Amino acid sequence: MVLELQKRLGEAIRAVILKNYALELANVPLETPPDLHFGEVASPVAFELARKLRKAPRLIAQEIVTGLGAVEGFAGFEVAGAGYINARLDRAAAARNIAAVDTERVRLVPRRLMGQPHALVEHTSINPNKAAHIGHLRNAILGDTFVRLLRADGYKVDVQNYIDNTGVQVADIVVALKHLELDAIPGINVRDQHTLPAIKKRIEYHEQESRKHPDNRELLIDYVCWRLYAQVNVWYMALETTEQDQAKVAERKRIRLDTLHEIEKGNNEIAEVAELISTAVLRHHLETMLRLGIEYDFLPRESEILHLKFWEAARQKLEQSGVLYQVTQGKNAGCWVMKRPGSEASTEETDDDAKVIVRSNGTVTYVGKDIAYHLWKFGLLGRDFGYRPFFRYAGHACWISTEHGEADHPHFGGATAIYNVIDARQSDPQANVIQALRGMGHAAAADHYTHFSYEMVALTPRCAEELGYNISDEDKKRPYIEISGRKGFGVKADDLIDKLIAATRAEVDARQTGRDETERQKIAEQIAIGALRYFMLKYTRNSVIAFDFKDALSFEGETGPYIQYAVVRIRNIFRKGATTPEAALAGFAKQTGQQVSESASQRSTAAAHDGFSQYLSGEENEDIWALWLRAGRFSLVLEQSIAASEPAFLAKHAFQLAQEFNNFYHKHRILTEEDPERKIFLLATAAVVVRELVQALNLLGIESPEAM
RNA sequence: GCGCCCGUAGCUCAGCUGGAUAGAGCGACUGACUACGAAUCAGUAGGCCGGGAGUUCGAAUCUCUCCGGGCGCACCA
């Protein structure tokens, strides 16, 4: 609503400027004034023109206002301050439009005319070797929310979760299973605990036991791996005091490397263990994310990128385009390298600053594989994965890559725009891939490659102490401490979710005594997830979240439950009033509709005769109008959110709308309102707000409970 | 050494392409449940927007510089 009006005003001002001064402006600056006294939309364009025209800004503003005349949807324009052009909306008309908004319309129409854009969003991408932690939650929640925003804006979106199942992190767990003393498990003899059948049995044991005791998360395979991962990292370091120990350390590091190479090669016992463990852990990651309403379409795995020789296909193209070249001298002698972003390719012989893609022993580095993978994403590789279904969701299946897949499968890759949700620490490697694409002449692909970067989630020293970790005096002084899977230092995702649900459940039990067990549990889960998702979304991407249970477990103030509570309140109003938002909006439309037809013949006095406009103007009604106006800003916020890749904008919008509603709720009593026409108006106000809140929450992945 | 990010109220953060009196939440202190449920609302206190210089009619926002904090910069993956 507001978005359309802004665009219309911008065009109108542009036309006037072109006509009056023969100046072509690319875009007219428009902003929201700090106070409704200044109108609903303002433009400081006169300041900009003042220099070019050598004229006082106030005079220019006046000339533009005169030139504008009447613009549909606006009640008038005025010049204020040193030269602002302030626009006032036709409030009654705006309210009519806002009330009539069809939420389905959000799937914007113009996109279809240009052909639906196809985006590929990759998020989560947790190494399948340990339980997910709160840092991974931020990634997945940001990514999932962005997917929802894109879909609301009419994009076709494929959601991918990249699985690095052949990396050192998985190798570390295999090493642990093959070489460490493991927990005693019934049916496994200590002597052959490291054999393949025993490891298989161990994984199966955890699958069965964790199903039998769903409350005991420590039985879950991903939790078991969390501990093993920390243990094996201690094991690698051994006791580095004596020479014998140093030899031992070297030996263990060698075991690690050998294990990694076996996994990469495939078709052997080590690789089989890796496959078992990474698949089992992956499945639990999907379960954990599903608790938050997060689903995926496709899981490309590194093992297939290796076995299907993606790199070999990419290498040819890289060499042909000259992006990849060999150096013969310097520290990179014998390597195939690529110039770094921002640097010049130096001589062909020595290039110490270049990025190594192929090592002197002929093996490819991580960046090389990543370039190949991204060529596939844009459909530029000329090679594809095999596919088979892996995980079943309520509405669709999630597919996984495989060497020889099913004949009948959906098509992934070949997107026009990609978004990689990866933390800020990886901006260098991401830049390398973009650099390669550009160097190969794929400028369009490089331009539509977005590193959706975000800062990490760390723990406050206080939180770390609460969890029982020993922290140094040095760390205590820091604002936050980085999470480390290697050290087993962090808050696991499922633990946090459990804690949140326990806290909300206690509240719900106290409040909802009339409801049964399953209902209360459902409400508690909706609130807990709402709290968690909002918590991860309210910070803008490049601010580090210093995690603290006090903040994360809060349900008051700027939180998800605060917004959910506003929805519940509105629903209660309609329940008590024995009506529905739909009915209220229909009643409102009927009344205003009559006003429209009446006023058609006498346009000039239409506003004065519109029964509802009296409730939208005047000092005492400014807050109500502000509420309508904010409700009408949704598409504007959605557009900004997508353009900036910043879901936090929408989160803030939802909170502010809920806040303004709560204020309205305390000031005006709806059901006891005696003036029937005003009552219809107030009900319509609540109906518009609940519609917008539910929609915004939906896009944030937050459900709206029936009660709380 | 090079690159990126951050520095705004006691704490945690917003502040959109430069614009009109710098905003929230938490915490502190006052008040408001016989009401559409208080997971709420109203109010008070609290800010040389890290320091300095520059560009501009105009800077929390852009540029430079300094200070403080964080993270990257391997033939590891």
Side-chain angles (χ1 to χ4, degrees), chain A residues 313-602:
Chain A
R315 177 170 190 160
Q316 280 191 347
K317 295 175 193 288
L318 282 162
E319 282 184 40
Q320 277 163 16
S321 59
V323 170
L324 195 66
Y325 56 94
Q326 195 170 31
V327 287
T328 53
Q329 286 168 35
K331 75 180 175 85
N332 294 332
C335 296
W336 288 79
V337 304
M338 183 188 108
K339 80 183 182 88
R340 282 180 199 275
S343 72
E344 297 299 316
S346 67
T347 67
E348 297 276 316
E349 281 79 40
T350 78
D351 196 347
D352 286 356
D353 185 45
K355 179 76 206 161
V356 173
I357 306 296
V358 180
R359 303 185 187 100
S360 50
N361 67 5
T363 58
V364 62
T365 62
Y366 182 79
V367 189
K369 286 181 276 191
D370 219 20
I371 292 169
Y373 173 44
H374 282 88
L375 284 169
W376 171 84
K377 280 190 181 179
F378 283 108
L380 300 169
L381 186 68
R383 220 167 264 212
D384 198 2
F385 292 104
Y387 300 88
R388 69 177 164 83
F390 179 74
F391 198 87
R392 190 72 225 172
Y393 294 113
H396 65 107
C398 174
W399 294 69
I400 196 165
S401 65
T402 182
E403 261 184 85
H404 308 289
E406 294 189 0
D408 194 22
H409 64 81
H411 185 257
F412 297 104
T416 46
I418 69 162
Y419 296 87
N420 291 342
V421 183
I422 306 178
D423 75 73
R425 286 171 289 194
Q426 304 223 41
S427 60
D428 265 20
Q430 289 289 299
N432 282 330
V433 178
I434 295 173
Q435 168 82 2
L437 287 172
R438 204 174 290 286
M440 293 170 79
H442 300 306
D447 288 343
H448 292 96
Y449 183 124
T450 304
H451 174 199
F452 190 107
S453 147
Y454 65 94
E455 274 293 346
M456 63 180 168
V457 180
L459 304 186
T460 61
R462 196 184 67 172
C463 179
E465 281 183 313
E466 265 172 40
L467 288 164
Y469 294 110
N470 273 329
I471 49 174
S472 63
D473 290 339
E474 197 184 335
D475 277 348
K476 278 181 195 165
K477 287 178 199 146
R478 291 162 170 266
Y480 48 80
I481 312 170
E482 193 176 350
I483 290 171
S484 166
R486 269 177 211 291
K487 294 176 188 156
F489 175 73
V491 177
K492 293 191 269 298
D494 281 307
D495 287 348
L496 176 61
I497 300 170
D498 290 346
K499 241 178 161 155
L500 279 160
I501 292 175
T504 51
R505 182 62 202 266
E507 284 290 319
V508 172
D509 283 348
R511 292 155 194 259
Q512 304 295 326
T513 47
R515 291 173 194 272
D516 67 29
E517 169 81 20
T518 41
E519 259 184 310
R520 293 203 301 252
Q521 181 64 18
K522 187 186 174 196
I523 292 169
E525 284 174 11
Q526 288 176 323
I527 298 170
I529 302 309
L532 177 55
R533 290 192 63 129
Y534 192 88
F535 178 78
M536 289 296 180
L537 292 170
K538 75 178 192 179
Y539 300 92
T540 48
R541 289 182 291 117
N542 48 13
S543 118
V544 176
I545 298 181
F547 182 86
D548 200 318
F549 283 105
K550 184 177 78 66
D551 297 333
L553 290 171
S554 165
F555 309 129
E556 289 167 12
E558 199 197 337
T559 64
Y562 177 96
I563 306 170
Q564 290 172 313
Y565 189 60
V567 171
V568 167
R569 277 183 150 168
I570 298 173
R571 287 184 174 160
N572 283 342
I573 294 170
F574 285 102
R575 197 172 299 130
K576 287 258 164 72
T579 180
T580 63
E582 292 72 26
L585 288 176
F588 182 77
K590 203 173 147 203
Q591 295 266 2
T592 53
Q594 284 167 2
Q595 301 292 344
V596 170
S597 56
E598 260 174 37
S599 61
S601 56
Q602 37 179 319

Side-chain angles (χ1 to χ4, degrees), chain A residues 41-153:
Chain A
V41 185
S43 178
V45 71
F47 297 112
E48 196 176 308
L49 293 176
R51 202 171 328 140
K52 286 182 196 164
L53 301 173
R54 299 180 171 282
K55 232 188 230 187
R58 239 193 115 82
L59 186 64
I60 297 170
Q62 190 55 59
E63 286 172 357
I64 292 174
V65 166
T66 309
L68 275 173
V71 179
E72 198 194 336
F74 290 88
F77 308 97
E78 60 201 48
V79 178
Y84 285 97
I85 298 169
N86 289 341
R88 298 188 186 281
L89 296 188
D90 174 347
R91 295 186 176 186
R96 261 197 305 277
N97 287 333
I98 292 166
V101 163
D102 176 4
T103 46
E104 290 304 308
R105 152 219 63 91
V106 172
R107 290 163 214 297
L108 296 176
V109 186
R111 303 235 178 244
R112 284 198 201 123
L113 301 173
M114 308 184 294
Q116 195 186 30
H118 179 190
L120 192 163
V121 177
E122 177 174 290
H123 65 78
T124 310
S125 307
I126 310 170
N127 275 305
N129 78 324
K130 61 181 176 301
H133 59 62
I134 50 176
H136 302 127
L137 284 180
R138 186 180 197 182
N139 182 304
I141 290 170
L142 273 173
D144 178 66
T145 304
F146 193 63
V147 168
R148 291 165 191 260
L149 297 185
L150 287 175
R151 284 181 174 155
D153 200 20

Side-chain angles (χ1 to χ4, degrees), chain A residues 534 556-567 569-570 623 626-627 630 651-667 689 693:
Chain A
Y534 192 88
E556 289 167 12
E558 199 197 337
T559 64
Y562 177 96
I563 306 170
Q564 290 172 313
Y565 189 60
V567 171
R569 277 183 150 168
I570 298 173
D623 58 327
L627 196 53
R630 185 164 315 271
K652 293 274 176 202
H653 168 77
F655 172 69
Q656 284 165 353
L657 185 60
Q659 197 176 36
E660 281 173 9
F661 175 79
N662 277 332
N663 172 307
F664 160 85
Y665 174 90
H666 277 268
K667 221 185 263 184
V689 172
L693 282 179

